[in-house]
Amino acid sequence: GNTTMVDSTPLIPDSRGKKQGHRVLCCCDSRKAVILINLMGLLLVAAGLIASAIQGTLVTDIPAIVGYCISILFYFIVVCSALQFHRCAVIVAIIWQIVAIVWYTVGLVMNREALAKEANQTDWIIFLVVWYVIHVFILYAEWVYVSEVGKGIMSRETHSREKYSCCCNV
């Protein structure tokens, strides 16, 4: 018979050579995208929390306070995890992003009558479209990163080959 030898150990890609990983929106490598996107998310959620606190809308809205705090925690943990080339926290954050999207959508459906009475419908629609696009983009970047770390494409050893940015070489 014809016998083929198969190496049962996973091979870590050579750190030299051509980039193997994905460019997130043709802009940067998956690790850099996860770090930058989650830093922006952290700033936006913190700003939203502060704005809501200043407007006094959080006084009785415990679920919103919990949502803000969990989001801030996850954005921070994901940045730290990506800096260390870990993926477990990013996987948990992906699950949280999905929960947050579902939670927010259920809240919108449950409050649709109140939202329909809002005077600035266009502003709400723009906000919602931007919110959903940002969250889908975060999921996309995190999924690519988790996939690349899992395959050994993105690691400490391969980072010099994989790092990419269209505008800076950080």
Side-chain angles (χ1 to χ4, degrees):
N2 191 1
T3 306
T4 304
M5 296 291 291
V6 177
D7 185 358
S8 63
T9 59
L11 299 175
I12 296 176
D14 188 9
S15 62
R16 300 162 299 180
K18 188 177 178 192
K19 177 174 175 45
Q20 296 176 9
H22 188 74
R23 292 181 184 168
V24 177
L25 294 182
C26 299
C27 183
C28 54
D29 63 78
S30 63
R31 178 176 174 257
K32 190 174 294 168
V34 165
I35 292 167
L36 293 175
I37 290 166
N38 279 276
L39 282 174
M40 286 188 280
L42 179 63
L43 292 173
L44 288 173
V45 170
L49 177 62
I50 292 167
S52 296
I54 290 171
Q55 293 173 354
T57 58
L58 290 179
V59 176
T60 59
D61 197 353
I62 301 302
I65 294 170
V66 170
Y68 276 121
C69 292
I70 292 173
S71 291
I72 288 170
L73 178 67
F74 274 112
Y75 284 129
F76 179 74
I77 289 171
V78 167
V79 170
C80 293
S81 181
L83 287 170
Q84 298 299 316
F85 296 93
H86 294 170
R87 69 183 190 145
C88 290
V90 181
I91 292 168
V92 175
I94 288 171
I95 295 167
W96 168 247
Q97 287 291 338
I98 293 167
V99 167
I101 290 169
V102 170
W103 185 359
Y104 197 74
T105 303
V106 167
L108 288 171
V109 170
M110 292 177 69
N111 294 316
R112 67 184 175 274
E113 291 174 14
L115 293 172
K117 296 175 185 173
E118 288 284 333
N120 50 356
Q121 289 291 310
T122 304
D123 292 346
W124 262 107
I125 291 170
I126 292 169
F127 170 79
L128 292 172
V129 168
V130 169
W131 190 90
Y132 280 105
V133 167
I134 288 171
H135 281 78
V136 167
F137 182 64
I138 291 169
L139 281 172
Y140 162 71
E142 289 176 349
W143 182 259
V144 170
Y145 172 77
V146 165
S147 174
E148 288 183 3
V149 171
K151 293 176 184 173
I153 293 171
M154 179 60 76
S155 67
R156 286 187 198 288
E157 294 79 19
T158 63
H159 184 251
S160 62
R161 177 195 71 213
E162 294 301 318
K163 69 180 182 178
Y164 176 80
S165 177
C166 63
C167 59
C168 63
N169 206 10
V170 178

